[in-house]
Amino acid sequence: MDKHYMRKPFVFAVALWCAAALGFAPKEGDCVSQLRPEFGKYRAAAVAPVDTDLDWNAIAGKGDFSTGKPVKFEFDAPAATLELSAKPDMTGAKTYDVQGGTSVEVVNLLVNTKYWWRTVDADGKKSGIHSFRTADEAPRWITAPGLSNVRDIGNRKSERYGGRTRQGLLFRGSEFDDHMNISDEGRRVIVDELGIRTDLDFRATRFKKSDKYTPVFDGTLNHVLIPLTDYAKIFDNKDTQERYRRIFSLLADRSNYPVHAHCWGGAAR
């Protein structure tokens, strides 16, 4: 038998392996999840039949899983930067530093959104443009180092009117101070990436280490303190009703957005 003929299947197999090894991701048409596996398991248990045993503390002590799963980009040649846009012509693209590597992880992408991406090498040469879609999953978890349980309220379906609520306008999460310790990167995410304008604080004084609020952002954000307590009295307590009126008046003013609402433990928000 011809030795060259015997060699062809081997060469073809090696070529396929190399193509796979030197590929890129996400690929065209990929639907990429940003939910951590731990949250998926927890959510599946939470909607299980009522007679199913549910261990609410199954992941307690194993770290904070209230952040999104990064989207990992991989490419077949070293790059200086990754460009990512929600428009096919790459306008408004965000740039991520790759530092000559062949992969980079990106967090806090919008959910249920199509993205286009490409890489740029050290000489300014741009790769081809690829696209993918983020999965239609709720909630959109936000990674802001030093904070916990930050979520985007957007992408909620309206059963009555159709359509969805906009992403990037209203967030709920932990406070910025007290028992949290926001890092410099966390500050960058809140101010520069999310563009938060209003810090809507529902904490009652008894939940704070001090009666005095010390602004974390030195006036960068508008801090609005509206303590919420006595939830059962919302319908017959004038003071409580006035506090809710102030909240909805604030939310009705477009100039206040984006808004980050928080309390101390989660009940008020």
Side-chain angles (χ1 to χ4, degrees):
M1 183 178 293
D2 186 354
K3 290 187 293 183
H4 296 289
Y5 177 81
M6 295 178 62
R7 196 178 302 160
K8 286 182 180 179
F10 173 76
V11 173
F12 181 69
V14 170
L16 286 178
W17 180 86
C18 289
L22 298 177
F24 59 87
K27 297 183 181 298
E28 297 293 333
D30 279 357
C31 184
V32 181
S33 173
Q34 296 180 89
L35 287 185
R36 290 187 178 277
E38 297 85 358
F39 179 77
K41 294 177 182 178
Y42 181 82
R43 185 174 64 174
V47 298
V50 293
D51 59 349
T52 301
D53 290 334
L54 176 59
D55 182 4
W56 294 101
N57 298 308
I59 60 175
K62 298 181 181 179
D64 185 356
F65 296 111
S66 65
T67 58
K69 182 178 72 173
V71 174
K72 187 173 184 180
F73 293 82
E74 300 176 295
F75 18 94
D76 55 10
T81 58
L82 168 80
E83 294 182 346
L84 180 65
S85 174
K87 297 181 179 181
D89 61 1
M90 298 301 292
T91 55
K94 289 186 176 180
T95 300
Y96 300 87
D97 192 4
V98 183
Q99 299 181 338
T102 56
S103 67
V104 66
E105 293 186 341
V106 175
V107 295
N108 302 337
L109 297 184
L110 298 175
V111 298
N112 191 30
T113 300
K114 188 169 184 178
Y115 282 98
W116 288 262
W117 66 277
R118 66 187 174 196
T119 59
V120 183
D121 67 17
D123 296 323
K125 183 180 179 181
K126 298 177 180 180
S127 71
I129 297 176
H130 313 289
S131 67
F132 68 98
R133 175 173 288 276
T134 52
D136 185 3
E137 299 170 320
R140 175 194 174 203
W141 290 100
I142 299 298
T143 300
L147 302 183
S148 178
N149 205 13
V150 181
R151 312 175 217 167
D152 188 337
I153 304 299
N155 195 48
R156 304 290 177 170
K157 297 179 181 178
S158 171
E159 297 297 334
R160 182 173 182 178
Y161 299 104
R164 298 170 184 260
T165 55
R166 287 179 58 187
Q167 299 179 62
L169 292 180
L170 182 58
F171 300 85
R172 53 92 69 207
S174 63
E175 70 271 31
F176 300 135
D177 62 345
D178 244 3
H179 72 297
M180 304 305 296
N181 185 23
I182 187 171
S183 68
D184 289 342
E185 174 61 14
R187 291 169 183 260
R188 186 200 66 77
V189 171
I190 292 297
V191 175
D192 298 331
E193 187 172 329
L194 302 182
I196 301 296
R197 292 183 181 177
T198 303
D199 173 11
L200 182 53
D201 191 344
F202 299 139
R203 288 175 295 179
T205 303
R206 69 173 183 270
F207 294 128
K208 295 173 61 57
K209 292 179 180 178
S210 168
D211 289 345
K212 183 179 180 181
Y213 179 86
T214 303
V216 175
F217 290 92
D218 300 323
T220 305
L221 307 186
N222 178 31
H223 174 249
V224 180
L225 178 62
I226 307 178
L228 292 182
T229 57
D230 303 324
Y231 312 118
K233 298 180 180 180
I234 183 175
F235 296 109
D236 56 14
N237 184 283
K238 296 298 183 181
D239 179 63
T240 302
Q241 291 174 4
E242 172 60 20
R243 295 182 188 193
Y244 278 94
R245 186 199 66 77
R246 290 178 57 199
I247 291 171
F248 283 99
S249 293
L250 182 149
L251 295 176
D253 186 344
R254 292 186 178 184
S255 66
N256 291 318
Y257 288 91
V259 175
H260 178 269
H262 67 86
C263 56
W264 189 90
R269 59 189 181 231

